[in-house]
Amino acid sequence: MAERSFKKEVEQLRIGAGETFRGEGILAITKALLENGVGYVGGYQGAPISHLMDVLADAEELMAELGIRFEANASEAAAAAMLAASVHYPIRGAVTFKSTVGTNVASDALANLASGGVTGGALVIVGEDYGEGSSIMQERSHAFAMKSQIWLLDPRPNLPSITEAVRHGFELSEATNTPVMLQLRIRCCHVHGAFEAKDNVPPSLTVRDALANPRRDTNRIVLPPASFNHEKEKIEKRWPAALDYIRTHKLNEFFGPETGKVGIALQGGMYNGVIRALQRLGLADVHGDTDVPLYVMNVAYPIVEDEFLEFCTGKDAVLVVEEGQPNYIEQNLRAILHQAGRSQTVVGKDLLPKAGEYTGRIMFEGIGDFLRQHAQDLLPAAMRAPNKPKQTDPVPQLRDVVPARPPGFCTGCPERPIFAAMKLVENEMGPHQTSADIGCHLFSIMPPFEIGGTTMGYGLGPASNAAFDGGGDKRSISIIGDGGFWHNGLSSSIGNAVFNKADSVTIVVDNYYSAATGGQDILSSRANNPTKSTQHPIAKAVEAVGVEWVRQIDRTYDVGKVQETLKEALTTDYDGPKVIVASSECMLNRQRREKPLRAAAIKEGRRVERPKFGVDEDVCTGDHACMRLSGCPSLTLKMPDDPLRDDPVAHIDQSCVGCGNCGEVADAAVLCPSFYQADLVHNPGKGERRRAEWRRRAISWLQDRRASRRLAWEAEA
C-alpha cells in the first residue's frame, strides 16, 4: 500500500490534444512520457520522486493498453540496467530514482550504457535530493553526468518546461546515441500548473515486438576494442551532435534585454528563485519580465560555449547561480571566457554560499549584493544600501531560538519496541558495536535510543560491520530493514556474512513494506498485490543462502520476547551468522488501510471497538522512565490534579493508536503498573449504554463527595 493513491488523478492521463492538463509535476511527467511514445518504464522509489513511482504503478493499466511495459525494479541498478532495451532497439525507455544515492547504486549500469550508447531514446529521471531538507549526503548528480558523458537537463520548474524537457530528452538521446539525465528538484516534482496536452502515443516498437525479432550490434557491446571506439565516438560524434541539437532547438533560453552591463547565468531549476529575487529587488514583474539579462541553462551539461560567449558580449560582469558544490558550471564558464580571451568578471560562490540550498533569502541577498557591486544604477534607490543588518550584535539564527526537533518514529511504530528491547539488553550486558542502515529504523540513532554508529548505504548495514565480525569478547549487532534487505542486503550483507563465517547478529526489521519510501509493496509484503508477487518470507530467503541460526518474531510489540531473543543471539555457542527477523506491520500503512473501513462501519451503525491507553496519575511516580524507553509522540507530560504534587506525571494524548508499546515497555522493564487500556466503543449496544451510564453516575457521585470534602477541609483550614 503506497503512501497515497493516484487512481483518481491517473484518469486525467487519458486526455488528448486540445485539452488542458492540470495537476502536479509528477503527474505531468507521466503524461509527457505517454505523449512521447515511451515503450517501457521502470525505477525505484525515493524522495523526492517516490510519488512518481506511485503514479506509474497506479497508471499500469493505462500503460498496458498502450503496450508499455512497467517494472517496479528491485533497485536503482536494476532500473538502469533495464535501459539496455534501448541499446539495440529503437525503443524509448525511461527510468526514475532519487539522486545521488540512487545514481551511485546505478552507476555501473549507467556507465556501461553511456559507453556503448543507445539506439532508442533513454531517459533517466533523477529526483535531486539536495539541500537542508535532504535525507542523504550532500552531493550532486552533475559530476556523474560529466564523468560518463551523459547529457544533463535541468528545466525551469513549471509544467510546460518539464514536459518539453521529457520530449527533448528522448529526441536528444536519439540524435546523439547517448542516454539523457533529467534532473528534478523537490519543488519541481510537486509544483502545480497546467499545459496543453497531446494525444497519448503507443510506442512505435513495443518490447513484445522486439522480442520477436532479436537484434545485436557488436559495436554497442562494452568490450575491447569497441570500448575504445566508444570513447572516441563520445567526443568526435556524440558531443558535436548534442551541441547541434541544443542550439537548433534552443533548449537554453534568454530572458530580459539583449544588452546590459551585467547578466545572470543560471541552472534552469534555479529560475523561479532568481525571478522572485529580482521581483523583490524591483527588477522583474509577476510575469517574469526582467530588467536583467538572463541565460537559463536548461541543459546543465554540456555547456554550449558560443551561446555563453554571445550572452557575455558587452557585459562587465556575469553572476553564475549554481546550487551546490563543487561549482562545476562556474569553473567551466570561467575557462570558456579565459580561452576566448574575454575580460568579463565572473561572480559566483564568492557572493553566493559555496554549499547548501539556495533559498529565497539567499537568492535575494546574493543577487542584491552582485548588483550593488556591478550595476548599482539598475536598483531602485531604496535597494542600493546593503541589505545586511546594521546592528553590531550577531543576528539570531533559527536554530538558536527554536529547539531542535530530531526525526523520530511515528506513533505506534512497531520498530520502537525493538530498540527499547535493545536498550534493556544494553543495560544488562553493556554496549555493543552496532551498525545501522537506510530506512525508518535509522531514527534509532537519535534520542531516546541512541543506537547505531554508522550508515553506509541501503542494505549495507551488516556489511558495514564486517570488520568486526571475526569474533571477540562481544558480538557486533547490525540492523537492516526489509526494504534494504531486498534492495541489496540479501547478497551484499547476509550472503557476505555467510561466505565469511561472520560471528555476528543481524536484526532484520520487517514492517511489511518499503515504508521509508512511501509504503510500497516488496517481496515479503503480506498484501495480495494483483500485479506483483508478494508473501515471500525473509526467514526463508535467509535460510536459503546458508544462515543456520534464524529466529522469527511475529509481534515486535512483545518487548520481552525481543529482549530474550536478542540475548540468546548474543550468548549462544553457535559462531556463525545469527539473524533475527522481527516482524510487525508499519502502523502508518495499517492506519491507512483500517481507518476508511472503520469510518464506514461507524457510519453504517455497526459496533466498532478501538483500544486506547492511558496513565493512572495516582499510580504514576513521575520518574518518566517509560518515555526514555519508548519515545512515543503520544506519550507526554501533564501536571496532576492533586494539588499536593508538584512534579508532572506521564500522560497519553489523543493521538494514541492503541499499539500497547508503552505498557509492554513498562512490563518488560519492570517500571510501573500505571498504564491501563480503555476500549473506545462506537455504536455500543443497549446493555453497554446502561453500564456506561451507571459507571458515569457512580464516578460523578464519588467526585462530588471528594470535592465537598476538600471544600470542607479548606474551610476548616
Side-chain angles (χ1 to χ4, degrees):
M1 174 184 286
E3 186 175 20
R4 61 162 293 193
S5 171
F6 289 88
K7 287 288 187 183
K8 182 178 179 181
E9 292 91 335
V10 159
E11 288 304 309
Q12 193 181 182
L13 299 177
R14 296 181 181 275
I15 67 174
E19 298 180 85
T20 300
F21 180 97
R22 291 183 173 85
E24 199 173 13
I26 51 175
L27 285 158
I29 295 165
T30 310
K31 175 60 175 167
L33 292 173
L34 301 181
E35 290 180 353
N36 286 283
V38 69
Y40 62 95
V41 185
Y44 191 85
Q45 58 274 356
I49 52 81
S50 285
H51 283 174
L52 179 52
M53 283 299 294
D54 297 336
V55 170
L56 292 170
D58 286 339
E60 191 167 0
E61 180 181 341
L62 171 58
M63 289 191 287
E65 293 173 9
L66 294 169
I68 302 169
R69 164 71 174 167
F70 170 68
E71 179 101 354
N73 301 108
S75 69
E76 296 87 354
M82 188 183 182
L83 290 172
S86 295
V87 171
H88 299 300
Y89 301 94
I91 308 174
R92 289 184 171 182
V95 297
T96 182
F97 40 76
K98 81 176 289 172
S99 193
T100 55
V101 287
T103 310
N104 292 340
V105 172
S107 59
D108 198 9
L110 287 177
N112 278 280
L113 185 75
S115 180
V118 295
T119 302
L123 188 64
V124 182
I125 303 170
V126 296
E128 189 75 347
D129 192 11
Y130 181 85
E132 187 176 352
S134 169
S135 61
I136 58 168
M137 75 291 291
Q138 298 297 282
E139 292 187 353
R140 302 171 60 194
S141 306
H142 201 107
F144 195 96
M146 293 193 299
K147 174 193 73 74
S148 294
Q149 299 290 282
I150 294 175
W151 316 137
L152 177 62
L153 304 185
D154 190 353
R156 289 192 291 135
N158 60 70
L159 265 54
S161 295
I162 297 169
T163 52
E164 279 296 287
V166 171
R167 177 175 71 85
H168 284 299
F170 282 128
E171 294 180 1
L172 176 61
S173 176
E174 291 163 344
T176 63
N177 302 118
T178 304
V180 171
M181 190 179 292
L182 174 59
Q183 175 178 280
L184 301 171
R185 294 169 181 81
I186 187 168
R187 290 179 178 83
C188 197
C189 290
H190 300 299
V191 68
H192 282 254
F195 68 94
E196 293 305 308
K198 300 175 184 175
D199 292 332
N200 294 333
V201 178
S204 56
L205 178 68
T206 67
V207 290
R208 184 179 294 273
D209 295 334
L211 277 173
N213 297 284
R215 301 182 187 180
R216 65 185 301 274
D217 180 358
T218 306
N219 292 325
R220 290 282 177 220
I221 301 173
V222 187
L223 276 176
S227 53
F228 174 74
N229 293 329
H230 295 163
E231 194 67 13
K232 292 185 63 179
E233 183 183 277
K234 284 181 180 180
I235 304 304
E236 296 175 0
K237 178 183 175 183
R238 300 187 208 172
W239 182 289
L243 296 178
D244 182 64
Y245 185 94
I246 295 165
R247 290 191 199 96
T248 302
H249 294 85
K250 299 181 180 179
L251 300 192
N252 297 322
E253 299 174 284
F254 297 87
F255 295 96
E258 294 184 4
T259 59
K261 62 188 300 185
V262 295
I264 301 175
L266 60 138
Q267 296 166 293
M270 297 286 99
Y271 174 80
N272 287 5
V274 169
I275 283 294
R276 178 59 183 148
L278 291 173
Q279 288 174 3
R280 294 176 65 191
L281 290 165
L283 296 175
D285 60 22
V286 294
H287 303 290
D289 293 328
T290 169
D291 296 334
V292 179
L294 303 181
Y295 176 45
V296 181
M297 290 179 282
N298 295 312
V299 182
Y301 183 81
I303 289 177
V304 185
E305 295 186 12
D306 53 357
E307 276 188 358
F308 178 65
L309 290 172
E310 181 183 351
F311 174 73
C312 291
T313 300
K315 295 180 175 59
D316 297 332
V318 174
L319 174 67
V320 179
V321 179
E322 175 186 9
E323 188 176 61
Q325 185 75 0
N327 54 342
Y328 300 116
I329 296 175
E330 182 182 340
Q331 292 176 33
N332 201 335
L333 297 182
R334 287 179 184 273
I336 291 170
L337 289 173
H338 176 74
Q339 290 170 358
R342 296 291 191 88
S343 60
Q344 282 91 357
T345 299
V346 175
V347 180
K349 298 294 185 183
D350 40 354
L351 286 182
L352 292 164
K354 289 183 171 59
E357 186 177 1
Y358 282 3
T359 62
R361 179 184 63 83
I362 287 172
M363 291 279 208
F364 173 69
E365 293 178 357
I367 294 174
D369 288 343
F370 167 73
L371 293 173
R372 275 183 283 274
Q373 290 181 18
H374 298 280
Q376 193 177 66
D377 55 305
L378 284 177
L379 291 167
M383 289 290 179
R384 293 177 184 175
N387 54 33
K388 307 294 183 185
K390 295 181 180 180
Q391 61 192 54
T392 56
D393 296 334
V395 179
Q397 300 294 313
L398 192 62
R399 62 177 177 269
D400 300 325
V401 295
V402 177
R405 191 180 74 170
F409 297 102
C410 302
T411 302
C413 176
E415 300 184 15
R416 185 179 286 108
I418 298 173
F419 298 106
M422 291 183 69
K423 293 300 285 186
L424 293 170
V425 171
E426 180 182 292
N427 184 58
E428 181 178 346
M429 303 179 64
H432 290 73
Q433 163 60 32
T434 306
S435 69
D437 203 290
I438 303 298
C440 297
H441 48 276
L442 193 58
F443 296 148
S444 64
I445 289 177
M446 311 301 291
F449 302 112
E450 299 181 304
I451 291 175
T454 55
T455 171
M456 299 304 293
Y458 203 27
L460 297 178
S464 62
N465 250 356
F468 303 102
D469 289 346
D473 293 337
K474 291 183 178 180
R475 287 171 173 143
S476 65
I477 303 174
S478 303
I479 304 161
I480 184 173
D482 48 357
F485 175 86
W486 293 115
H487 177 276
N488 191 25
L490 180 58
S491 58
S492 297
S493 284
I494 304 300
N496 180 70
V498 172
F499 183 69
N500 289 286
K501 298 183 178 180
D503 184 18
S504 60
V505 177
T506 296
I507 301 173
V508 182
V509 181
D510 173 22
N511 58 25
Y512 301 8
Y513 309 92
S514 182
T517 59
Q520 293 82 6
D521 282 337
I522 52 179
L523 273 166
S524 52
S525 295
R526 273 48 166 194
N528 291 314
N529 191 312
T531 64
K532 301 293 180 287
S533 179
T534 55
Q535 304 183 45
H536 299 280
I538 291 174
K540 284 190 176 182
V542 167
E543 291 169 350
V545 297
V547 179
E548 298 177 6
W549 196 102
V550 182
R551 299 292 184 270
Q552 174 70 48
I553 298 173
D554 291 321
R555 182 176 177 273
T556 62
Y557 297 105
D558 188 343
V559 177
K561 177 67 173 178
V562 178
Q563 182 183 3
E564 175 188 335
T565 307
L566 181 56
K567 285 174 61 178
E568 180 190 356
L570 293 170
T571 58
T572 179
D573 292 335
Y574 179 74
D575 62 358
K578 292 154 283 290
V579 175
I580 301 170
V581 183
S583 304
S584 278
E585 184 179 11
C586 166
M587 184 56 73
L588 276 182
N589 271 34
R590 179 179 171 183
Q591 292 297 314
R592 291 182 189 122
R593 186 182 70 254
E594 292 182 350
K595 274 186 175 180
L597 299 176
R598 188 165 57 239
I602 293 171
K603 187 176 181 180
E604 293 170 5
R606 287 183 280 153
R607 183 184 183 279
V608 175
E609 183 176 309
R610 187 157 58 98
K612 287 275 190 176
F613 285 80
V615 176
D616 188 335
E617 66 177 57
D618 292 331
V619 179
C620 179
T621 62
D623 69 349
H624 311 148
C626 53
M627 299 179 192
R628 294 194 293 274
L629 278 173
S630 169
C632 180
S634 69
L635 190 57
T636 181
L637 298 172
K638 65 166 286 188
M639 291 304 298
D641 295 332
D642 188 342
L644 299 180
R645 298 181 64 179
D646 297 329
D647 296 328
V649 295
H651 173 69
I652 299 178
D653 64 25
Q654 292 300 309
S655 64
C656 172
V657 294
C659 71
N661 180 44
C662 50
E664 294 277 1
V665 169
D667 180 63
V670 196
L671 292 176
C672 74
S674 60
F675 291 94
Y676 65 85
Q677 177 177 331
D679 294 327
L680 179 64
V681 180
H682 297 270
N683 302 319
K686 292 182 179 179
E688 289 178 310
R689 291 178 185 273
R690 283 196 295 268
R691 287 193 295 273
E693 179 61 22
W694 292 337
R695 292 193 191 100
R696 187 192 64 78
R697 290 180 181 180
I699 293 171
S700 179
W701 179 80
L702 290 171
Q703 288 175 332
D704 291 342
R705 188 178 71 165
R706 179 185 179 187
S708 62
R709 286 183 177 181
R710 180 179 296 175
L711 289 173
W713 177 79
E714 291 175 350
E716 291 176 2

